[in-house]
Short mmCIF file of all heavy atoms in Angstrom, two decimals:
data_model
loop_
_atom_site.label_atom_id
_atom_site.label_comp_id
_atom_site.label_asym_id
_atom_site.label_seq_id
_atom_site.Cartn_x
_atom_site.Cartn_y
_atom_site.Cartn_z
N LEU A 258 14.29 12.30 17.13
CA LEU A 258 15.21 13.08 17.80
C LEU A 258 14.50 13.74 18.98
O LEU A 258 13.28 13.85 19.00
CB LEU A 258 15.60 14.32 16.89
CG LEU A 258 16.42 13.93 15.73
CD1 LEU A 258 16.62 15.26 14.75
CD2 LEU A 258 17.86 13.49 16.03
N ALA A 259 15.34 14.11 20.05
CA ALA A 259 14.91 14.77 21.21
C ALA A 259 14.53 16.25 20.84
O ALA A 259 15.39 17.02 20.71
CB ALA A 259 15.83 14.68 22.41
N LEU A 260 13.21 16.44 20.54
CA LEU A 260 12.94 17.81 20.13
C LEU A 260 12.25 18.52 21.37
O LEU A 260 11.94 19.80 21.33
CB LEU A 260 11.96 17.74 18.96
CG LEU A 260 12.50 17.14 17.60
CD1 LEU A 260 11.40 16.85 16.63
CD2 LEU A 260 13.70 17.87 17.24
N THR A 261 11.92 17.68 22.37
CA THR A 261 11.52 18.40 23.70
C THR A 261 12.24 17.78 24.80
O THR A 261 12.94 16.81 24.68
CB THR A 261 10.06 18.01 23.88
OG1 THR A 261 9.72 16.70 23.77
CG2 THR A 261 9.06 18.84 22.86
N GLY A 262 12.19 18.50 26.05
CA GLY A 262 12.96 17.89 27.23
C GLY A 262 14.46 18.40 27.14
O GLY A 262 14.86 19.24 26.37
N ASN A 263 15.17 17.91 28.23
CA ASN A 263 16.46 18.49 28.54
C ASN A 263 17.43 18.15 27.40
O ASN A 263 18.45 18.96 27.07
CB ASN A 263 17.06 18.11 29.77
CG ASN A 263 17.25 16.65 30.09
OD1 ASN A 263 16.88 15.88 29.10
ND2 ASN A 263 17.88 16.26 31.07
N ALA A 264 17.29 17.11 26.44
CA ALA A 264 18.14 16.90 25.40
C ALA A 264 17.68 17.61 24.04
O ALA A 264 18.42 17.58 23.08
CB ALA A 264 18.39 15.43 25.13
N SER A 265 16.62 18.38 24.29
CA SER A 265 16.14 19.18 22.86
C SER A 265 17.15 20.12 22.48
O SER A 265 17.19 20.67 21.35
CB SER A 265 14.84 19.68 23.05
OG SER A 265 14.98 20.71 24.17
N LEU A 266 18.03 20.61 23.44
CA LEU A 266 19.12 21.65 22.99
C LEU A 266 19.95 20.97 21.85
O LEU A 266 20.38 21.72 21.07
CB LEU A 266 20.00 21.93 24.25
CG LEU A 266 19.20 22.57 25.32
CD1 LEU A 266 20.24 22.94 26.46
CD2 LEU A 266 18.62 23.92 24.89
N TYR A 267 20.11 19.68 21.92
CA TYR A 267 20.95 18.90 20.84
C TYR A 267 19.89 18.61 19.62
O TYR A 267 20.41 18.75 18.53
CB TYR A 267 21.61 17.75 21.30
CG TYR A 267 22.35 17.97 22.63
CD1 TYR A 267 21.86 17.41 23.89
CD2 TYR A 267 23.41 18.68 22.65
CE1 TYR A 267 22.42 17.53 25.00
CE2 TYR A 267 23.97 18.89 23.93
CZ TYR A 267 23.56 18.36 25.06
OH TYR A 267 24.15 18.61 26.27
N GLY A 268 18.84 18.07 20.04
CA GLY A 268 17.88 17.50 19.06
C GLY A 268 17.44 18.65 18.01
O GLY A 268 17.27 18.28 16.85
N GLN A 269 17.33 19.90 18.55
CA GLN A 269 16.81 20.91 17.70
C GLN A 269 17.92 21.23 16.68
O GLN A 269 17.72 21.50 15.41
CB GLN A 269 16.44 22.21 18.41
CG GLN A 269 15.21 21.92 19.18
CD GLN A 269 13.88 21.90 18.41
OE1 GLN A 269 13.87 22.11 17.28
NE2 GLN A 269 12.84 21.43 19.11
N GLU A 270 19.18 21.22 17.11
CA GLU A 270 20.37 21.60 16.11
C GLU A 270 20.31 20.29 15.12
O GLU A 270 20.65 20.53 13.99
CB GLU A 270 21.57 21.46 16.99
CG GLU A 270 21.76 22.87 17.78
CD GLU A 270 23.11 23.13 18.23
OE1 GLU A 270 24.01 22.21 18.21
OE2 GLU A 270 23.37 24.08 18.88
N SER A 271 20.19 19.07 15.57
CA SER A 271 20.22 17.89 14.65
C SER A 271 19.19 18.18 13.53
O SER A 271 19.29 17.89 12.30
CB SER A 271 20.07 16.61 15.38
OG SER A 271 21.08 16.44 16.36
N LEU A 272 17.87 18.56 13.97
CA LEU A 272 16.71 18.67 13.22
C LEU A 272 17.12 19.73 12.02
O LEU A 272 16.66 19.58 10.83
CB LEU A 272 15.45 19.17 13.87
CG LEU A 272 14.26 19.40 13.07
CD1 LEU A 272 13.76 18.01 12.40
CD2 LEU A 272 13.01 19.90 13.89
N ASP A 298 9.31 13.17 17.45
CA ASP A 298 9.93 13.70 18.77
C ASP A 298 9.97 12.48 19.66
O ASP A 298 8.90 11.85 20.01
CB ASP A 298 9.08 14.74 19.35
CG ASP A 298 9.49 15.33 20.58
OD1 ASP A 298 10.65 15.02 20.95
OD2 ASP A 298 8.87 16.06 21.18
N THR A 299 11.24 12.25 20.14
CA THR A 299 11.39 11.16 21.06
C THR A 299 11.26 11.59 22.55
O THR A 299 11.23 10.82 23.49
CB THR A 299 12.77 10.56 21.02
OG1 THR A 299 13.71 11.60 21.39
CG2 THR A 299 13.13 10.02 19.64
N GLY A 300 11.09 12.98 22.78
CA GLY A 300 11.38 13.55 24.10
C GLY A 300 12.82 13.22 24.49
O GLY A 300 13.60 12.81 23.64
N SER A 301 13.10 13.29 25.73
CA SER A 301 14.48 13.10 26.13
C SER A 301 14.67 11.84 27.00
O SER A 301 15.71 11.57 27.72
CB SER A 301 14.96 14.31 26.95
OG SER A 301 15.02 15.41 26.07
N ASP A 302 13.71 10.91 26.96
CA ASP A 302 13.91 9.74 27.81
C ASP A 302 13.80 8.45 26.95
O ASP A 302 13.63 8.59 25.70
CB ASP A 302 12.87 9.67 28.94
CG ASP A 302 11.47 9.52 28.44
OD1 ASP A 302 11.25 9.55 27.12
OD2 ASP A 302 10.42 9.66 29.19
N PRO A 325 18.63 7.76 17.84
CA PRO A 325 18.00 8.96 18.71
C PRO A 325 19.03 9.77 19.20
O PRO A 325 20.35 9.66 18.85
CB PRO A 325 17.34 8.16 19.84
CG PRO A 325 18.30 6.99 19.99
CD PRO A 325 18.94 6.63 18.61
N THR A 326 18.72 10.87 19.89
CA THR A 326 19.77 11.89 20.20
C THR A 326 20.72 11.34 21.31
O THR A 326 22.02 11.63 21.33
CB THR A 326 18.98 13.14 20.78
OG1 THR A 326 18.25 13.67 19.71
CG2 THR A 326 19.99 14.27 21.30
N LEU A 327 20.18 10.86 22.39
CA LEU A 327 21.14 10.42 23.45
C LEU A 327 21.45 8.84 23.35
O LEU A 327 20.54 8.09 23.04
CB LEU A 327 20.29 10.58 24.78
CG LEU A 327 19.97 12.01 25.14
CD1 LEU A 327 19.13 12.02 26.60
CD2 LEU A 327 21.24 12.87 25.30
N SER A 328 22.64 8.65 23.81
CA SER A 328 23.07 7.19 23.94
C SER A 328 22.25 6.45 24.93
O SER A 328 21.87 5.40 24.76
CB SER A 328 24.48 7.15 24.39
OG SER A 328 25.45 7.70 23.44
N GLN A 329 21.83 7.19 26.04
CA GLN A 329 20.92 6.58 26.92
C GLN A 329 19.61 6.21 26.34
O GLN A 329 19.10 5.15 26.73
CB GLN A 329 20.59 7.82 28.12
CG GLN A 329 19.70 7.37 29.06
CD GLN A 329 20.33 6.47 30.21
OE1 GLN A 329 21.64 6.54 30.28
NE2 GLN A 329 19.58 5.64 30.80
N GLN A 330 19.07 6.82 25.25
CA GLN A 330 18.00 6.42 24.60
C GLN A 330 18.42 5.18 23.62
O GLN A 330 17.58 4.36 23.41
CB GLN A 330 17.35 7.47 23.81
CG GLN A 330 16.95 8.67 24.61
CD GLN A 330 16.34 10.00 23.87
OE1 GLN A 330 17.17 10.51 23.08
NE2 GLN A 330 15.22 10.25 24.10
N SER A 349 24.36 11.45 16.77
CA SER A 349 25.03 12.18 17.96
C SER A 349 25.36 11.33 19.15
O SER A 349 25.83 11.72 20.22
CB SER A 349 24.07 13.34 18.35
OG SER A 349 22.89 12.80 18.99
N ASP A 398 23.33 9.27 33.08
CA ASP A 398 23.34 9.34 31.65
C ASP A 398 24.45 8.48 31.12
O ASP A 398 25.64 8.60 31.45
CB ASP A 398 23.53 10.84 31.17
CG ASP A 398 23.55 11.09 29.84
OD1 ASP A 398 22.68 10.71 29.11
OD2 ASP A 398 24.79 11.43 29.35
N THR A 427 21.54 14.72 35.39
CA THR A 427 21.19 15.61 34.30
C THR A 427 19.98 16.56 34.55
O THR A 427 19.85 17.64 33.94
CB THR A 427 20.87 14.89 33.13
OG1 THR A 427 19.79 13.82 33.37
CG2 THR A 427 22.11 14.10 32.47
N THR A 428 19.27 16.21 35.60
CA THR A 428 18.06 17.08 35.95
C THR A 428 18.54 18.16 36.97
O THR A 428 17.68 18.92 37.48
CB THR A 428 16.86 16.26 36.36
OG1 THR A 428 17.47 15.26 37.34
CG2 THR A 428 16.32 15.66 35.21
N LEU A 452 25.05 17.03 30.42
CA LEU A 452 24.33 17.67 29.30
C LEU A 452 24.40 19.17 29.43
O LEU A 452 25.04 19.63 30.37
CB LEU A 452 22.89 17.15 29.30
CG LEU A 452 22.70 15.64 29.14
CD1 LEU A 452 21.33 15.30 28.89
CD2 LEU A 452 23.61 14.94 28.10
N ALA A 453 23.76 19.79 28.51
CA ALA A 453 24.00 21.41 28.43
C ALA A 453 23.36 21.94 29.66
O ALA A 453 23.90 23.08 30.15
CB ALA A 453 23.37 21.84 27.21
N ALA A 454 22.14 21.65 30.08
CA ALA A 454 21.54 22.42 31.27
C ALA A 454 22.25 22.21 32.58
O ALA A 454 22.71 23.25 33.21
CB ALA A 454 20.07 22.06 31.38
N ASP A 455 22.49 21.04 32.96
CA ASP A 455 23.26 20.83 34.12
C ASP A 455 24.66 21.31 33.97
O ASP A 455 25.28 21.88 34.91
CB ASP A 455 23.23 19.24 34.52
CG ASP A 455 23.58 18.33 33.43
OD1 ASP A 455 23.19 18.62 32.19
OD2 ASP A 455 24.26 17.35 33.71
N GLY A 477 28.64 17.29 25.67
CA GLY A 477 27.43 17.82 26.14
C GLY A 477 27.41 19.45 26.15
O GLY A 477 26.33 20.04 26.00
N THR A 480 27.51 23.16 22.21
CA THR A 480 26.38 23.71 21.62
C THR A 480 26.25 25.15 22.06
O THR A 480 26.49 25.51 23.30
CB THR A 480 25.10 22.99 21.96
OG1 THR A 480 23.87 23.76 21.69
CG2 THR A 480 25.00 22.65 23.36
N ASN A 482 23.75 26.51 22.57
CA ASN A 482 22.50 26.58 23.54
C ASN A 482 22.86 26.53 25.00
O ASN A 482 22.13 26.78 25.84
CB ASN A 482 21.60 25.32 23.18
CG ASN A 482 20.78 25.48 21.89
OD1 ASN A 482 20.48 26.68 21.55
ND2 ASN A 482 20.54 24.39 21.21
N PHE A 527 26.29 19.38 15.82
CA PHE A 527 25.03 18.46 15.93
C PHE A 527 24.28 18.63 14.69
O PHE A 527 23.86 17.51 14.05
CB PHE A 527 24.15 18.76 17.09
CG PHE A 527 24.79 18.32 18.40
CD1 PHE A 527 25.41 19.21 19.24
CD2 PHE A 527 24.84 16.93 18.61
CE1 PHE A 527 26.04 18.70 20.45
CE2 PHE A 527 25.51 16.52 19.94
CZ PHE A 527 26.01 17.47 20.81
#
Side-chain angles (χ1 to χ4, degrees):
L258 294 170
L260 301 175
T261 52
N263 60 354
S265 63
L266 299 178
Y267 317 107
Q269 294 290 347
E270 289 192 353
S271 303
L272 182 62
D298 178 12
T299 63
S301 294
D302 62 4
T326 297
L327 298 176
S328 297
Q329 180 74 27
Q330 298 176 301
S349 64
D398 178 61
T427 53
T428 45
L452 305 187
D455 52 319
T480 165
N482 292 326
F527 291 102

